[in-house]
Amino acid sequence: MWGTIRSVHFVGICGTAMASTAVALKEQGLTVTGSDQNAYPPMSTFLAEHGIEVMSGYAEANLAHRPDLVVIGNAISRGNPEAEYCLEHRLRYCSLPELLREQFLRGKRTIVVAGTHGKTTTTALLAWVFEVNGLKPGFLIGGLPLNFQRGCRFTDSEWFIIEGDEYDTAFFDKRSKFVHYLPECVILNNLEYDHADIFPDLTAIQRSFEQLIRLVPRNGVLLANGDDPNLAPLLNVRFCPVRQFGLGEHNAVRAFNVQLGAGASTFELPSYRFHLNLPGEFNVRNALAVVACAKHYGLSNKQIQAAFDTFLGVRRRMEVRGVADGVTVVDDFGHHPTAIRETLAALRLKYPRQRLWAIFEPRSNTTRRRVFQKELAESFAGADCVVVAQVARLEQLPPEERLNPEQLIADLQARGKTAAYLPDVDAIVSHVVRHAEGGDVVVVFSNGGFGGIHDKLLDRLNRRAAQSRALGLASLERARGRGH
């Protein structure tokens, strides 16, 4: 089947993994098309730079050219006109994980990085460690790593490093994506409740991770965070080797003497001290997972550190988008209470004396719901000022199931925070421009485009600065006039 494919159409092409795979296939000489309802940077820009035009919206006409294969994204559901057309006309279709497994992963030595938090950074860092040391891995990363400037690459190397998402595969395959990835090695960073739209409780997520663990062969390895109580019940397996990493004494790969600095972190393993140009304890744990994996495959401490020295990070992970009128605007993908809390803690290390703003869009399928109502209030403890936007896709959830932003604001104010609920982007931008001062740091938390809020903020702040300069010059001219 796969050898006969010359043209591929992606339904939902602006997903990070979908876009990255589409570009990789185009570079292999295939004709690639795609459609999406919401195209926004960085993926829309990435696709345009590689000559793939995104058809705006979903329509049967988008499949009029009858592609050899249609890849249907996991955000697509029944009723989508392109999905319905595929089913009606018996077009050849598959999920992205299926495509990856059969076209790119079979026969490779695949390392799957899974967990609720840190998957993208860990996968990018591990891929860079292998790259710097000449192993030329293929990879699929759920973000844009700055060292590679792409989230996906297919090579002739035996190695493939892939971010393993526990979200379901497609409307026609409700298993987690990562069960398709043929792992030799699985890294489990951590496990928390998430994806409230598909998992009823933590136990259901643990069952999904158990499925992944059962796929590790006897000549592979399971590397797991030994400090995570939600992972502990899953690690008593005999069919493959298990090695635990973490900060606790019981871990086989243990970090000690951890030092968290403003823009970097250090930690020790016996006889070696690692330095990482990323702040925060979560990044130390991400790096420790990478160390455990790289050392398992024979790389030395010095070889690993050589890659750490030059690792640039991932877009939308504490990414500084710009500074305007003395205000620093940071973009972060965080959308789970733990990720928000840890990101704010890391930013507080980096900006210890600045006033820290957090702007939050409840957009993920979990934070749109009430399940983390209490936890979200706690997660913003590290911020001085908090602004919460309207729940995304409000009409899709009954009121009793939705996150209550007004209650979240009341809880934050009860904790002494300066907090405001402002439903739309323009109101948020106006509020921040009116109240933010030079030296403030504004971090925007969203797993979507959030109406282009970052550029709008920077533009308005630059205009504020220009107006201040103009007023200053006018005042100076008046003073000179009086002097004459």
Side-chain angles (χ1 to χ4, degrees):
M1 163 182 168
W2 303 99
T4 62
I5 293 169
R6 295 290 175 267
S7 60
V8 183
H9 179 82
F10 289 79
V11 186
I13 194 170
C14 285
T16 305
M18 292 277 276
S20 299
T21 306
V23 167
L25 288 175
K26 186 173 189 294
E27 290 178 343
Q28 290 189 352
L30 276 68
T31 300
V32 176
T33 57
S35 56
D36 210 301
Q37 199 160 313
N38 297 301
Y40 53 82
M43 299 322 297
S44 59
T45 310
F46 175 70
L47 288 164
E49 287 171 351
H50 290 85
I52 298 176
E53 182 182 350
V54 179
M55 302 172 186
S56 183
Y58 301 116
E60 292 184 9
N62 293 341
L63 295 172
H65 61 296
R66 306 281 292 196
D68 297 328
L69 179 68
V70 179
V71 182
I72 299 178
N74 75 323
I76 305 303
S77 55
R78 286 300 303 266
N80 177 288
E82 294 182 35
E84 296 300 325
Y85 187 86
C86 277
L87 296 173
E88 251 177 48
H89 294 269
R90 314 296 191 270
L91 297 188
R92 186 179 290 168
Y93 67 90
C94 71
S95 66
L96 180 65
E98 284 180 278
L99 172 69
L100 293 169
R101 183 189 66 214
E102 297 304 330
Q103 189 77 336
F104 302 107
L105 299 182
R106 199 168 289 285
K108 298 282 187 179
R109 303 185 69 180
T110 304
I111 300 170
V112 178
V113 180
T116 307
H117 312 292
K119 294 186 293 292
T120 302
T121 298
T122 304
T123 310
L125 182 57
L126 182 60
W128 186 240
V129 168
F130 274 49
E131 177 75 5
V132 166
N133 290 289
L135 298 177
K136 199 186 174 189
F139 56 79
L140 178 61
I141 300 165
L144 283 178
L146 297 174
N147 291 91
F148 293 105
Q149 288 296 319
R150 61 176 58 210
C152 183
R153 181 177 78 177
F154 302 108
T155 69
D156 55 6
S157 163
E158 64 178 338
W159 299 101
F160 201 94
I161 300 170
I162 186 167
E163 179 174 334
D165 187 357
E166 69 270 28
Y167 205 78
D168 61 8
T169 298
F171 72 80
F172 48 86
D173 183 352
K174 305 314 284 183
R175 295 172 297 168
S176 291
K177 294 177 190 175
F178 54 36
V179 303
H180 294 276
Y181 292 158
L182 308 175
E184 174 179 306
C185 168
V186 165
I187 295 173
L188 298 181
N189 266 354
N190 41 63
L191 196 158
E192 283 196 85
Y193 183 60
D194 198 5
H195 307 307
D197 53 323
I198 60 171
F199 292 114
D201 51 35
L202 179 67
T203 301
I205 299 179
Q206 288 174 314
R207 279 198 297 269
S208 184
F209 276 69
E210 279 183 318
Q211 282 188 299
L212 174 63
I213 291 169
R214 285 193 210 106
L215 298 173
V216 180
R218 62 187 180 186
N219 65 344
V221 66
L222 172 63
L223 301 170
N225 178 353
D227 300 333
D228 192 316
N230 293 331
L231 283 175
L234 311 182
L235 304 183
N236 187 25
V237 298
R238 296 170 184 248
F239 46 75
C240 70
V242 179
R243 283 177 66 80
Q244 297 181 39
F245 59 85
L247 309 187
E249 293 183 4
H250 60 282
N251 290 292
V253 182
R254 180 193 169 213
F256 56 95
N257 288 342
V258 176
Q259 301 290 323
L260 305 177
S265 313
T266 61
F267 61 93
E268 287 186 36
L269 267 63
S271 75
Y272 200 83
R273 187 161 190 80
F274 288 96
H275 177 274
L276 185 71
N277 296 317
L278 296 173
E281 184 182 300
F282 249 54
N283 279 320
V284 169
R285 292 184 178 276
N286 293 339
L288 190 57
V290 170
V291 170
C293 182
K295 287 174 74 69
H296 173 77
Y297 285 114
L299 295 178
S300 70
N301 292 330
K302 287 185 177 179
Q303 286 176 305
I304 297 167
Q305 183 58 55
F308 283 8
D309 286 340
T310 52
F311 182 64
L312 300 176
V314 181
R315 288 197 67 180
R316 304 208 69 194
R317 271 62 178 181
M318 287 191 286
E319 179 189 6
V320 175
R321 289 288 296 269
V323 180
D325 202 19
V327 177
T328 302
V329 176
V330 179
D331 182 17
D332 195 87
F333 198 71
H335 51 274
H336 184 285
T338 300
I340 291 168
R341 184 187 71 236
E342 294 297 329
T343 298
L344 288 171
L347 287 169
R348 182 57 71 197
L349 284 168
K350 190 173 182 181
Y351 304 103
R353 286 176 290 278
Q354 284 96 321
R355 188 166 62 159
L356 188 55
W357 291 69
I359 301 175
F360 173 57
E361 181 189 28
R363 186 179 180 277
S364 78
N365 285 319
T366 304
T367 54
R368 291 167 59 230
R369 289 170 165 81
R370 194 180 288 271
V371 290
F372 286 140
Q373 183 79 48
K374 176 174 173 288
E375 290 83 354
L376 278 169
E378 296 167 353
S379 72
F380 288 106
D384 300 298
C385 308
V386 182
V387 181
V388 179
Q390 181 175 280
V391 172
R393 305 182 299 286
L394 195 68
E395 71 288 348
Q396 296 178 7
L397 289 172
E400 65 274 12
E401 290 184 20
R402 285 183 214 143
L403 177 76
N404 184 334
E406 291 94 339
Q407 182 61 53
L408 176 55
I409 294 303
D411 291 343
L412 288 165
Q413 289 172 341
R415 294 165 181 264
K417 299 293 176 190
T418 301
Y421 170 53
L422 298 168
D424 64 85
V425 168
D426 290 339
I428 293 171
V429 170
S430 295
H431 176 79
V432 175
V433 170
R434 191 162 57 249
H435 296 288
E437 302 170 0
D440 287 1
V441 176
V442 178
V443 55
V444 177
F445 289 106
S446 174
N447 67 339
F450 203 172
I453 191 170
H454 315 86
D455 291 336
K456 288 179 179 178
L457 261 175
L458 290 166
D459 178 60
R460 286 283 301 279
L461 287 165
N462 276 322
R463 282 156 55 191
R464 187 181 79 174
Q467 287 167 357
S468 296
R469 286 193 298 271
L471 286 170
L473 286 170
S475 176
L476 182 62
E477 288 300 320
R478 284 196 298 273
R480 284 175 177 166
R482 285 194 296 270
H484 289 300

